[in-house]
Amino acid sequence: MASPKGQSRVDSRRKKTTNRLLKFKEKYLSWKYARYLALDPSALPIVALLIVLAEAVINVLVIQHVPYTEIDWVAYMQECEGFLNGTTNYALLRGDTGPLVYPAAFVYIYSALYYLTAHGSNVRLAQYIYTGIYLLQMCLALRLYAKSRKVPPYMLVLTAFTSYRIHSIYVLRLFNDPVAVLLLYASLNLFMDSRWLWGTIFYSLAVGVKMNILLFAPALLLFYLANLGVLLTIVHLFICGLIQVVIAYPFLRTHPVEYLTGSFDLGRIFEHKWTVNYRFLTRELFEQREFHLALLGLHLLLLLAFAKYTWTFFKSYVHLREVQQIILPQLMLKNREEKEKAKAAKKKSHHRSKSKKSQQQEQAQELEPGNKEEDEEELTAEQKSFLKSFEKGLQNATGQKRPPAPVKESKRKPYEISFEHCTQLALLPFFLCNFIGVVCARSLHYQFYVWYFHSLPYLVWSTPYSVGVRFLILGGIEYSFNTYPSTNLSSIVLHVSHLVLLVGVARHIRHIIKLNTLVKQKRQLEQQQQLEREKEE
């Protein structure tokens, strides 16, 4: 029989366990926490992990239970086999679907896959490699969404799990588009982290896999200029070009004309039977040169129309990053001082026993206004005022309904402020620039969906439309890419969805610019009034 003392300990442990379970249930198994995970963009790091794990299971199930469809994989292997056998003339590198039309980085990457998959015969292994590409791509895209905190997690869950066509492009068709997009998103993440050299390297490699990555080039040029200035922009453009020359050297040294005309053929005409966006046109009109020139002209006009707004966004992004460099060291210093004070207080209380009266006196001294001013010596009133105006301006600039996390001045919590929301000012121009290129594309094939699929949730959430209309836009695009073969209706639905989305983003951007102008005017007026009051005094 247990002693009363032993029984008391057992009861105490049971009570602690029960309390912990109750606290866990109240915090995590509640409707409030479920709403947080579904609706709050700040919960995306948690939800992203769940998405990636679920996608790993889904892709394995797709590979195991859905038949693989051969389209371009064998042709890729045949083209690389010719190179591995010593052929460096692009005119002679061919597969079952035609000549090699991709730059040199494609050749090296798929030559590696050629060896890994037993000369291309082990398709199942290739599918699992593409599963890894899919999951890594998802991680990179979700990281950008998590940094920007703009799109609610449930939106990303729905788009990730419900797109049959995207899963098909990656693990059932083995196209090269996912490889190029993976490198592109790696470069975007590096640019957002201010790792300019590595971002430039990965962007150039992405272009070396497939030329569609050049659709991001206009935005990248302005991003370079806004962040680095003219001289460093020239340096990074030179690095981009140098990488292309280095990877293409075996082909440029022997047959330069064949390489340039084969891998960067801007005049190549796609077959009408594969088009997703222009099924309603006749084949004759679709293949006319004038039609292609008209689309190119529209592309350039749209880029020029948004160029000023893009520059404004990028300059605002640069300004906020500069503010981050000034404020964060002060916050870190302040947090370090508070931590050292807490350690000293803990050590002091451990070695000296104090009476209740003396403890109360010390607590009262800590709360005195004079000491509070001393604690806040690093953050002056002017700096706090600036932070407050920064948060309000960022709220208007990013179109959020609520401001980012404010500076916290709690006794137990560290001072902090989130600057990552300003990532929105960089991502939207990049995604919009690429989307304009897709809208004006001469022909979209089914695998081209991956070019802009991961940016669509961000774009629809950058419109003033209701949630219902946003879902209709995404549903219309998904319907068009899931209709095979394409029909007049599916092509029209795709164009209407693109047009509505483009107009919505344009309205959103104009609204943000207007708000920023009003904020600046108000600030200038307040400064002018302040100067007048000072003169009167």
Side-chain angles (χ1 to χ4, degrees):
M1 184 174 178
S3 64
K5 189 175 181 180
Q7 184 64 39
S8 176
R9 289 178 179 175
V10 171
D11 292 340
S12 177
R13 288 172 185 165
R14 287 177 179 174
K15 188 175 180 180
K16 287 182 180 179
T17 304
T18 304
N19 289 338
R20 287 174 183 172
L21 290 174
L22 287 174
K23 288 181 180 179
F24 179 85
K25 183 179 179 181
E26 290 175 1
K27 185 174 182 179
Y28 298 108
L29 302 180
S30 63
W31 175 245
K32 182 180 179 180
Y33 190 70
R35 283 176 56 86
Y36 164 74
L37 290 178
L39 302 177
D40 196 331
S42 64
L44 192 53
I46 302 172
V47 179
L49 177 62
L50 301 176
I51 291 175
V52 173
L53 292 176
E55 281 287 6
V57 175
I58 291 172
N59 278 273
V60 171
L61 291 175
V62 169
I63 292 172
Q64 294 294 330
H65 299 286
V66 181
Y68 163 78
T69 303
E70 170 54 40
I71 297 180
D72 282 340
W73 173 256
V74 171
Y76 294 162
M77 296 297 102
Q78 291 170 340
E79 292 160 359
C80 292
E81 188 174 43
F83 165 71
L84 293 172
N85 289 334
T87 302
T88 57
N89 186 344
Y90 253 57
L92 302 179
L93 295 175
R94 303 180 63 87
D96 290 342
T97 58
L100 175 59
V101 293
Y102 307 118
F106 162 85
V107 178
Y108 299 133
I109 292 173
Y110 277 83
S111 293
L113 292 175
Y114 175 85
Y115 285 119
L116 288 173
T117 59
H119 299 181
S121 61
N122 193 343
V123 175
R124 180 56 56 89
L125 177 58
Q127 288 180 285
Y128 281 112
I129 292 174
Y130 266 78
T131 298
I133 293 173
Y134 180 93
L135 296 177
L136 185 54
Q137 164 67 49
M138 186 64 69
C139 290
L140 292 173
L142 290 174
R143 183 174 184 268
L144 293 177
Y145 278 94
K147 287 170 74 70
S148 64
R149 295 189 182 184
K150 185 176 183 66
V151 181
Y154 79 87
M155 185 74 236
L156 298 172
V157 171
L158 291 175
T159 54
F161 293 164
T162 59
S163 180
Y164 167 79
R165 180 59 64 188
I166 288 298
H167 290 89
S168 172
I169 291 171
Y170 277 85
V171 299
L172 297 179
R173 303 294 186 269
L174 307 183
F175 289 113
N176 67 326
D177 302 79
V179 179
V181 173
L182 173 66
L183 294 171
L184 180 276
Y185 271 81
S187 71
L188 288 180
N189 274 271
L190 290 165
F191 286 137
M192 296 305 108
D193 294 339
S194 298
R195 298 184 177 182
W196 299 102
L197 178 59
W198 282 106
T200 297
I201 292 172
F202 272 87
Y203 180 80
S204 187
L205 291 176
V207 174
V209 175
K210 195 159 187 178
M211 202 169 47
N212 68 283
I213 304 301
L214 288 173
L215 295 178
F216 288 89
L220 180 58
L221 175 61
L222 293 179
F223 197 61
Y224 276 147
L225 289 170
N227 284 272
L228 305 177
V230 176
L231 182 60
L232 285 178
T233 296
I234 294 174
V235 171
H236 281 269
L237 293 178
F238 174 78
I239 293 172
C240 282
L242 180 63
I243 291 172
Q244 295 300 318
V245 172
V246 170
I247 63 177
Y249 179 73
F251 309 102
L252 293 174
R253 183 176 60 85
T254 54
H255 302 87
V257 176
E258 289 80 359
Y259 174 76
L260 294 174
T261 56
S263 60
F264 293 98
D265 184 8
L266 298 175
R268 186 159 58 99
I269 298 177
F270 296 103
E271 294 185 30
H272 183 254
K273 67 178 181 178
W274 297 116
T275 187
V276 176
N277 55 337
Y278 284 112
R279 176 63 60 188
F280 53 85
L281 296 181
T282 63
R283 179 177 177 181
E284 291 73 18
L285 178 58
F286 176 81
E287 294 180 353
Q288 279 187 4
R289 178 180 174 83
E290 291 75 12
F291 173 66
H292 296 166
L293 291 176
L295 289 176
L296 178 60
L298 177 62
H299 188 184
L300 294 176
L301 285 175
L302 287 174
L303 289 177
L304 289 174
F306 285 98
K308 182 179 178 180
Y309 301 140
T310 297
W311 181 253
T312 301
F313 271 54
F314 285 160
K315 291 299 290 183
S316 298
Y317 171 83
V318 172
H319 176 67
L320 293 178
R321 287 302 188 191
E322 290 173 350
V323 171
Q324 179 182 9
Q325 296 299 318
I326 297 172
I327 298 296
L328 284 188
Q330 298 183 38
L331 294 180
M332 292 173 64
L333 178 62
K334 193 64 188 173
N335 289 331
R336 195 180 304 117
E337 291 176 354
E338 292 294 327
K339 191 174 180 181
E340 290 174 356
K341 288 180 181 179
K343 285 183 178 179
K346 186 176 180 181
K347 186 177 181 181
K348 189 176 181 180
S349 63
H350 178 73
H351 291 289
R352 293 178 56 191
S353 60
K354 300 177 181 178
S355 65
K356 185 176 180 180
K357 184 177 179 180
S358 63
Q359 289 178 1
Q360 291 176 349
Q361 290 176 350
E362 288 182 10
Q363 289 175 1
Q365 290 175 359
E366 289 177 0
L367 295 176
E368 286 181 1
N371 288 335
K372 187 175 180 181
E373 283 181 6
E374 185 179 350
D375 287 343
E376 295 178 354
E377 184 178 354
E378 295 298 331
L379 289 177
T380 64
E382 184 180 356
Q383 289 170 338
K384 291 178 184 177
S385 175
F386 174 79
L387 286 176
K388 186 176 180 181
S389 63
F390 155 71
E391 291 165 3
K392 185 176 180 181
L394 185 57
Q395 177 186 1
N396 293 330
T398 58
Q400 293 188 138
K401 293 183 179 180
R402 61 181 182 181
V407 176
K408 298 182 180 179
E409 297 184 56
S410 173
K411 183 180 178 182
R412 296 182 180 178
K413 295 181 180 180
Y415 296 96
E416 60 182 12
I417 182 170
S418 174
F419 283 87
E420 291 305 323
H421 294 77
C422 68
T423 305
Q424 296 180 25
L425 299 171
L427 286 182
L428 181 57
F430 271 110
F431 289 159
L432 177 60
C433 184
N434 178 62
F435 180 67
I436 289 173
V438 171
V439 170
C440 300
R442 292 177 295 174
S443 181
L444 293 177
H445 293 181
Y446 289 95
Q447 65 269 30
F448 296 177
Y449 191 20
V450 75
W451 292 4
Y452 70 129
F453 169 79
H454 297 94
S455 65
L456 284 174
Y458 197 95
L459 289 171
V460 298
W461 236 256
S462 299
T463 66
Y465 302 137
S466 65
V467 175
V469 174
R470 292 170 180 175
F471 274 106
L472 282 176
I473 293 172
L474 293 176
I477 296 174
E478 184 72 19
Y479 160 77
S480 300
F481 277 96
N482 278 311
T483 302
Y484 178 81
S486 61
T487 63
N488 292 344
L489 176 62
S490 66
S491 293
I492 292 173
V493 168
L494 182 62
H495 280 287
V496 171
S497 300
H498 283 172
L499 180 61
V500 173
L501 178 54
L502 184 61
V503 171
V505 173
R507 288 176 55 191
H508 173 73
I509 290 176
R510 289 190 62 184
H511 178 67
I512 292 175
I513 298 297
K514 185 177 179 180
L515 281 177
N516 278 343
T517 303
L518 292 175
V519 169
K520 288 181 180 179
Q521 291 175 350
K522 184 179 179 180
R523 189 176 301 169
Q524 290 174 355
L525 181 61
E526 290 176 351
Q527 292 176 351
Q528 186 177 358
Q529 291 174 349
Q530 180 67 23
L531 290 174
E532 290 176 355
R533 284 195 296 268
E534 291 176 356
K535 288 180 180 179
E536 291 176 356
E537 293 175 357

